[in-house]
Amino acid sequence: MIWQCRGRAFDLADRTLVMGIVNITPDSFSDGGRFFTPEAALGHARRLLAEGAEVLDLGAESTRPGAGPVPADEQWRRLSPVLETLARETDACLSVDTASASVAERALAAGAQVVNDVTALGDPAMAGVVARAGAGLVLMHMRGAPADMQRDPRYQDAAGEVAAHLAARLDDARAAGIERDRVALDPGIGFGKTVQHSLELLARIETLTALGRPVLVGVSRKSFVGHLLDLPVDQRLEGSLAAAAVAVFLGARIVRTHDVAATVRAVRVAGALRAARVAQEPAHD
Ligand code: HH2
């Protein structure tokens, strides 16, 4: 299974990509303010690359529950010095975590290869921007907006509804000229989901892998881990690793994380276990 991101093609048939998170924000839920200056963000980005991240996801707008939107010009003011420097000094794949087509367009012009859109084409101009650049695209499921998404989210069948929503967005992307092999799909853990919904989405990840595209999961330090273990954000590493490993074993191919070194190790073992299981399955013809 190939994920095509501009000139780059990731073959994810039997390996897992680790995407390191660089939050250039004052208010992100787990590391807000730590990497807000360009110097701090660059230092963090270089560290994540040294730890084995193959993709860096640069974000300038927190999407934590209750957060409001950050204007496009302010997002770009935060992103540009970091993105422009990284594009010059590394050939790592750079992703921009934005729901704004105008921010995405500027980031792609500055050398980003992927747009990570937590609104799955909520901005009507986004699909055209991604199509014209030939960029990779992450379509994430969210119910509601960060400001209100955790107010009593309800589903009859969370896994089925999330898959149907992402299948429809995948069709929209295709209709706008974005080839299927450019798209990765993400259930949006914690975005308009209770703890139980997040668990169900991870445990039934095959409802998403069945759509034939690489599945990305973002479980790192998320509140479902905190609820299960009754631990604050700075003590959720082991729980996050367990969730990432199980998701990879069940078929996820891209893991978005704050803790790259530990995640690279965990998903390598989980991926080897998945491969061993697949090798034992009877051939289907
Ligand atoms: N989670 C966050 C942000 N962006 N993108 C995708 N595709 N999937 C996710 O699960 C996801 C995401 C939230 O995490 P973080 O970036 O650490 O926090 P904040 O939004 O507060 O900056």
Side-chain angles (χ1 to χ4, degrees), residues 188-273:
I189 299 302
F191 286 85
K193 280 93 189 181
T194 62
V195 173
Q196 205 50 42
H197 296 140
S198 290
L199 292 172
E200 179 190 332
L201 287 164
L202 290 169
R204 293 191 52 210
I205 214 145
E206 75 280 359
T207 52
L208 280 191
T209 56
L211 297 176
R213 298 307 311 140
V215 171
L216 182 155
V217 290
V219 294
S220 185
R221 306 180 187 170
K222 290 254 166 102
S223 64
F224 80 96
V225 176
H227 281 288
L228 289 171
L229 301 177
D230 193 19
L231 287 172
V233 283
D234 62 344
Q235 293 176 54
R236 296 179 186 168
L237 175 62
E238 299 87 348
S240 304
L241 294 176
V246 171
V248 167
F249 181 70
L250 295 177
R253 292 295 202 278
I254 310 167
V255 176
R256 182 182 181 276
T257 182
H258 303 89
D259 299 294
V260 167
T263 303
V264 165
R265 293 177 182 178
V267 304
R268 192 165 299 163
V269 174
L273 284 163

Side-chain angles (χ1 to χ4, degrees), residues 21 23 25 27-31 57 61-64 97 116 118 138 140 186 188-189 191 216-219 222 256 258:
I21 302 170
N23 281 326
T25 54
D27 56 348
S28 286
F29 81 93
S30 81
D31 54 7
D57 191 34
E61 173 182 69
S62 172
T63 48
R64 71 187 190 287
D97 184 353
N116 172 20
V118 298
V138 179
M140 196 197 80
D186 181 343
I189 299 302
F191 286 85
L216 182 155
V217 290
V219 294
K222 290 254 166 102
R256 182 182 181 276
H258 303 89

Side-chain angles (χ1 to χ4, degrees), residues 66-204:
V70 174
D73 285 343
E74 173 59 15
Q75 287 190 46
W76 185 241
R77 199 186 62 74
R78 297 175 183 180
L79 284 167
S80 55
V82 182
L83 179 57
E84 284 161 4
T85 304
L86 288 172
R88 263 198 313 275
E89 73 177 28
T90 168
D91 61 4
C93 181
L94 301 175
S95 161
V96 61
D97 184 353
T98 189
S100 156
S102 94
V103 173
E105 189 163 37
R106 285 179 265 186
L108 293 168
Q113 281 106 15
V114 173
V115 176
N116 172 20
D117 182 0
V118 298
T119 65
L121 307 179
D123 182 334
M126 184 65 98
V129 165
V130 173
R132 279 193 294 282
L137 174 66
V138 179
L139 293 174
M140 196 197 80
H141 176 274
M142 168 161 43
R143 178 157 292 176
D148 62 9
M149 65 189 178
Q150 290 307 97
R151 254 181 245 150
D152 194 25
R154 288 174 195 226
Y155 302 80
Q156 297 284 326
D157 164 17
E161 288 167 50
V162 167
H165 174 90
L166 289 177
R169 294 285 87 78
L170 185 57
D171 287 348
D172 292 345
R174 187 67 207 86
I178 302 168
E179 295 84 355
R180 280 176 67 89
D181 67 358
R182 299 192 184 284
V183 181
L185 303 174
D186 181 343
I189 299 302
F191 286 85
K193 280 93 189 181
T194 62
V195 173
Q196 205 50 42
H197 296 140
S198 290
L199 292 172
E200 179 190 332
L201 287 164
L202 290 169
R204 293 191 52 210

